[in-house]
Each structure stands twice: as structure tokens, then as C-alpha cells.
DNA sequence: ACCTATCATGAGTTTTTCTCAGCAGTCTCG
DNA sequence: CGAGACTGCTGAGAAAAACTCATGATAGGT
């Protein structure tokens, strides 16, 4: 048997806290400020704890109130999302997708137009976000995660491995410090993603070379920025081969050493378990899977051979 | 502005679903079955969706109802836990702890009496559980997790690394297939934890030996069982040195090769972020940290040398 | 100093929720 | 087979909860 507080009072509490005022909360709930005051009083009496500290003109949450609000907000939000999901037509043609930023800008965005051609009726609402999300707390339908694929309580579908290779601007190769073997990197700036400092170290291991302390190093917060920095001739970064295929084939980036580091991480398409997919969701999922298995439009593989050591300097002519 | 369904009706809905009957739900809520019926009807009208399918004598959840129930239950549970946490005296001397099974039985249990001596007033309520838990959904105060320490939104405190070494019964060494170097393991049964099949392979890598296909293999579901199986002379298992120190020093288990595999995983003490700890919680946390740093009571380190290759057969005399 | 905004409180009103009574269907057991 | 025990639905009236209004108090802005 459950022991629950007066639930309607919780709704009033949450609105009051959010608005920072009983009067404002009353307006939102279409009742008078007096009604709000009564409700809060009831709740406080039930709990035996003051949730707001009153200073005759303004109200402010007490520490207990703040703590309680977090959970109440979370719970009400879940109810709201669940109710909306239930009420919303089963056959909407809108799909809300949250995508790992790098995958979004370098893979999905360039292919969006192809999806829209195939499914002009389906509206994709895309947002970028790192890390996991709680499907019970957001109205997001599906997501593209970056990681090792080990997540609980969600349906996971493998999309694509992430293999890192060093990339740099073609100009870098024209400088006085050539890149003939991995050890030559000591004369260059290594660009790190600050949360994944170990990647360069691992790469040197794979390249059967000792880890070198680079001339300079540059730390940036995301792989998007490191790739951009490499392109701006700021040094050498580690980037995924597939995701940078456009820059490589256009000659904006070159691969001085075609030695890939297997990060053991990948991109995955995920969605809620036990949830029947709408037609639109199914269409997106199937398109994504088919598209990712299709041969690369930009033909990296063939181009790449022109950018590996030996012929690398030749590719610099374009830029 | 929020768009919430009638919240009291949700409480009734949840109780009805849980009890599988309006009458039973009524009893639980101290109202008549009629009141329950009215409430459910109101909710269904609000949603525009039937939650129960009525068959004139019994009610059953519709698919939509089932789906909705999951979220409603989750949300109400969170409210209940939060309310209870708020209401409960700030200075209770009860601490609820969820502990990884292997750590519980092999480390915490043997030391519990020491804690009780030091803090006779504090009552520990301990349960074993694998994987993560949601502190917003359970009244657990703290937990000991096994993993890589990368968890979001919780306070994490490192306790102890997990280093795996092969262990077996001393009798095994007396058999006709001695264990002189890792390759000799091909003549024995290797015991695996079924969810962590790769550990043996990694160990052979560390032991600079090729991965061998063992004579037999045995898969068990937890490291508790694999250790027990090794002790029962069923083969060779990988076990954590610290956690099996008692068995090793008592001679029930021996370490044929003192080559540890660093699993990169460890035990961590975790609790909610931003939550002020009670005195009892602080006491347990500090005791645990101090205890884990204290020199091992069973003096494994000194004993161990007697159980490594060369002198290993000698340790078999005890058992 | 005065006007306005905000909140508390208690009495009275409105709205919501609950009970009761009656009806109907179904399962059980003698 | 049929009476009795359950279970659920419904509508009307009763009970409870929620809301409004009036009043008072206090603080901030002008």
C-alpha cells in the first residue's frame, strides 16, 4: 500500500516553486493566490516540514523544499511525458531524434536531404546532445548514442564503428618538419579531446611507436573542434575516417599515417524498449541502417590511397 | 505551463492495476469500489483512451493501460520515496546499503562485526544487487558498485581495484597435470563467468602466453560461483586476490601463477549527489574507506609467496 | 507617505469526490 | 441447476475538498 502526499498539492507546489510566487502560480493554474496558499499550507502540514520561507513579500524555497522539488518535478514531468505519449495520435509523422553532435554534423546533416526526398511526409526534429537521455523524461523518440553499446533498458542497434586516424591540413606536410613515420609527430602540435586524452597514447601503441611528448599540445572540448583545428593547420588530430571522408576527399584534410585506432566505441541507434514504433520511426530507423551500410557516397576508400604517406604531399595542391 | 491529468485519479489507477480489481483497490484506498469506478472513468475520459477492458466480472489492463501504468508507477514511486526521505527524521541511525554480491560476501560480511563493535547504535540494512540502482526509486542510502567508476549524477568514491589471478584447489596441483607455466592450463578446466568470457583471454595476454583452448570449460553466472567451483576442485578460475585472501591463506585455494590481470574495474562506494549525509551514513562511509586502506587482516601478501609456483605444492599440505 | 504587490487566514461557496442503492452479469458450490 | 457471493456500472444525493472573497499585514517602489 502506498503512502502518498496530497497529489494536487504537489502540482501547486511545483508551479509555485517554478514561478517563485504564489500569485504567479495561481495565474498559471487559473486559481487565486489564496487557493495556492491554502494548498501549500495543506502540503506543509501533511509533511510536517516548511517548504517555503515566507518573508511577507516574497516566498523562497527552504533547503528541504529545494530537495523535494527535484523529485516532484521529475515525477510530474514523467507523468506529463507519459500522458502526452499516450494521448498523442499513434500515427504522427513527426519523429524527434537526439543525435551525438559529431555524428549529426558530419554524417546525418549531409544526408538529410536524401531522407527528405525519400520521405517527404516525415518531419524529423533533430537535436544534438552528448551522453545518455531519459526517454521517460523527454519526448524524444529515438537517439544516436556514441559509446560501447552497453546500455540498460533500451533497444540498441549498432550503426558504425569509430576508427581514429591522424588527420592534419595538407599545408602541414609542406612545412619543414615532414611526417614520414609516427615519431616525426614530436615536431608537431597534437590536438586532444580533453575528455579523451588517452586516445593519442593508444594510437602510438597501435602504431608500434613510443609515445612521444609533442612539441605542443592543444586541448579542445569536442571532436568537432579538434577536426576543425586540424583543418585550420593548428596541428594533428585524431578523427574518424568515415566522418571526415568529405574533408579528406576534398583535400582539406590529409591522413599522414593510415594506421587506424580501434576505439572499441561506436555509434548506435537507440529507442525505448517495448515501445511500438510509429511508421515514421520505423522508416527513419530502416533508412538509417540501410544508408550506413551503403557504400560511401564520397568514395573515401579510393581517395584515401592518394593521401597516405608518399603521395600525401601531392594532395596539398588542391587547397 | 504543465498539462497534467487528474493526479488523484492516477493514484486510483495505479492501485486498481496493482490489485487487478476495483473493489480491492477501493479497500486499499479506504473508499468504495464505486468511487474507484468513478475515478477511472474520469481518467479515461480525460485521456480519451480506455485503460481497462471490462469483462463484466473482472477488469484487465488494455495495452495502452499497461504502457501508461509503467510510467505512472514509476512517477508515484519517486514521489513516495522522496516524501518518505523528507519526512523521515534527519537523524536516523539506520543506513540502507546495496552491495555488489562478491564484495558483500567476501569483503563486507567478514568485517561487519568490526563495524558493529565500533558503532553499536548504527543499524545497517544490507542487500545484494548487481548493476546500477536508481536512488530516486529506492530508499537505499548508499551502494557499493562494481565497474569502471564512470557513472553520472552520483557521488563516487573509489574503494579498491579488482586484480584477477588464477586460483584453484591445492589438490589440482597434485594431479598428473602440473601447472608450471600458463600453457599447462590446456590440460585443465577453465572456469568462466558467463558475462565476462574475455577475462581469461586477457589474462593469457598479460601472461605473455597464447590463448589456449582448455580441455574443458565451465561457465557460471557469477564470480562467487566460479571461486566456489575452483575451491571444489572443478578447475581453474580467475578471482580477485584481495577478496579471496581468506581462502588463499587458509590453503583452500592456491594461486598457481601470480600474474595479475588488471581488469580496469574496481569497487566504488556511491551515494546520491547533493544529499547531506546523516551521521550514520558518514560513519559507515568513513569506516569503509579506512578499513579498505588498512593492511589486510589476513596477511595475504606475506602468505601469498608461499602459494606461488615452486612452493605451491607445499601449501597443499594444509587441506 | 502613498500606492501597489504579495501572502495569510477564516468564513462561506463551489466543485469534486465519495457513498448509497439498485441493476446486471458471472463464477462457485451444494 | 439455481441460490448466494462477487464484481462492476450508474445516477442521485451527501460529504469532503478546493476555491473565492474579504480582510489584514508587510514590504518595495515612486
Amino acid at each position: 500500500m502506498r503512502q502518498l502526499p496530497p497529489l494536487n498539492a504537489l502540482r501547486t507546489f511545483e508551479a509555485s516553486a517554478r514561478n517563485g510566487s504564489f500569485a504567479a502560480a495561481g495565474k498559471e493554474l487559473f486559481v487565486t493566490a489564496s487557493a495556492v496558499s491554502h494548498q501549500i499550507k495543506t502540503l506543509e502540514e501533511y509533511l510536517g516540514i516548511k517548504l517555503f520561507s515566507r518573508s511577507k513579500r516574497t516566498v523562497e524555497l527552504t533547503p528541504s523544499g529545494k530537495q523535494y522539488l527535484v523529485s516532484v518535478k521529475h515525477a510530474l514531468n514523467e507523468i506529463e511525458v507519459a500522458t502526452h505519449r499516450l494521448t498523442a495520435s499513434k500515427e504522427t509523422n513527426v519523429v524527434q531524434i537526439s543525435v551525438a553532435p559529431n555524428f549529426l554534423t558530419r554524417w546525418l546533416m549531409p544526408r538529410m536531404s536524401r531522407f527528405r526526398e525519400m520521405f517527404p511526409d516525415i518531419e524529423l526534429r533533430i537535436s544534438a546532445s552528448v551522453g545518455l537521455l531519459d526517454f521517460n523524461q523527454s519526448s524524444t523518440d529515438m537517439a544516436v548514442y556514441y559509446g560501447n553499446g552497453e546500455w540498460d533498458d533500451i533497444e540498441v542497434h549498432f550503426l558504425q564503428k569509430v576508427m581514429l586516424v591522424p588527420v592534419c591540413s595538407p599545408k602541414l606536410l609542406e612545412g619543414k618538419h615532414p611526417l614520414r613515420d609516427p615519431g616525426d609527430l614530436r615536431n608537431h602540435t597534437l590536438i586532444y579531446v580533453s575528455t579523451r586524452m588517452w586516445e593519442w597514447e593508444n594510437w602510438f601503441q597501435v602504431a608500434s611507436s613510443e609515445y612521444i611528448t609533442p612539441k605542443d599540445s592543444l586541448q579542445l572540448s569536442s571532436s568537432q573542434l579538434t577536426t576543425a583545428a586540424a583543418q585550420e593547420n593548428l596541428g594533428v588530430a585524431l578523427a574518424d575516417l568515415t566522418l571526415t571522408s568529405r574533408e579528406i576527399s576534398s583535400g582539406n584534410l590529409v591522413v599522414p599515417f593510415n594506421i587506424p585506432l580501434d576505439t572499441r566505441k561506436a555509434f548506435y541507434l537507440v529507442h525505448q524498449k517495448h515501445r511500438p514504433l510509429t511508421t515514421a520511426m520505423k522508416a527513419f530507423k530502416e533508412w538509417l541502417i540501410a544508408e550506413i551500410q551503403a557504400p560511401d557516397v564520397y568514395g573515401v576508400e579510393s581517395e584515401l590511397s592518394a593521401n597516405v604517406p608518399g603521395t600525401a604531399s601531392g594532395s596539398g595542391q588542391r587547397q
Side-chain angles (χ1 to χ4, degrees), chain A residues 77 202 251:
Chain A
N77 203 45
N202 292 351

Side-chain angles (χ1 to χ4, degrees), chain A residues 36-257:
Chain A
V36 175
S37 176
H38 282 297
Q39 287 273 19
I40 301 292
K41 196 183 170 191
T42 306
L43 183 59
E44 287 180 332
E45 273 165 10
Y46 172 89
L47 297 170
I49 288 170
K50 281 259 166 293
L51 297 169
F52 288 98
S53 65
R54 281 85 160 168
S55 46
K56 278 299 169 198
R57 177 138 174 70
T58 54
V59 288
E60 204 185 356
L61 282 171
T62 60
S64 295
K66 267 183 201 150
Q67 190 192 326
Y68 197 46
L69 176 66
V70 174
S71 298
V72 171
K73 214 173 194 141
H74 197 258
L76 293 184
N77 203 45
E78 173 151 16
I79 289 170
E80 192 175 28
V81 168
T83 306
H84 184 260
R85 208 162 263 165
L86 195 71
T87 312
S89 148
K90 286 284 159 207
E91 273 315 322
T92 172
N93 53 357
V94 177
V95 186
Q96 287 200 43
I97 309 159
S98 168
V99 186
N102 210 25
F103 188 85
L104 175 56
T105 53
R106 298 193 181 276
W107 194 96
L108 188 54
M109 283 299 190
R111 288 165 178 82
M112 280 285 286
S113 58
R114 291 160 63 103
F115 181 82
R116 301 182 74 149
E117 271 170 38
M118 283 184 73
F119 303 98
D121 295 338
I122 297 179
E123 182 189 338
L124 298 184
R125 291 198 191 138
I126 295 180
S127 63
S129 75
V130 285
L132 309 187
L133 68 89
D134 186 346
F135 284 99
N136 295 321
Q137 289 287 316
S138 92
S139 55
T140 302
D141 299 308
M142 317 180 92
V144 175
Y145 280 3
Y146 170 70
N148 60 8
E150 293 171 15
W151 299 290
D152 295 337
D153 301 325
I154 50 173
E155 198 76 36
V156 177
H157 194 290
F158 172 82
L159 292 176
Q160 177 173 286
K161 272 189 111 156
V162 172
M163 305 284 281
L164 299 178
V165 290
V167 294
C168 62
S169 130
K171 282 185 192 159
L172 203 81
L173 300 177
E174 296 168 359
K176 54 184 167 185
H177 295 294
L179 284 173
R180 287 197 209 88
D181 65 83
D184 291 340
L185 284 166
R186 82 183 72 240
N187 303 312
H188 293 274
T189 305
L190 293 192
I191 307 173
Y192 296 80
V193 179
S194 35
T195 51
R196 306 201 290 265
M197 301 289 287
W198 58 83
E199 286 176 345
W200 265 115
E201 198 172 340
N202 292 351
W203 184 83
F204 277 106
Q205 219 169 332
V206 172
S208 320
S209 169
E210 268 183 48
Y211 180 61
I212 52 102
T213 37
K215 195 191 72 180
D216 277 314
S217 78
L218 179 61
Q219 278 184 41
L220 297 168
S221 63
S222 78
S223 41
Q224 295 215 63
L225 296 175
T226 56
T227 309
Q231 209 165 327
E232 296 303 325
N233 205 24
L234 295 172
V236 187
L238 284 169
D240 180 71
L241 202 54
T242 317
L243 296 186
T244 48
S245 58
R246 278 195 309 173
E247 287 78 3
I248 293 169
S249 68
S250 72
N252 290 331
L253 280 175
V254 294
V255 180
F257 310 105

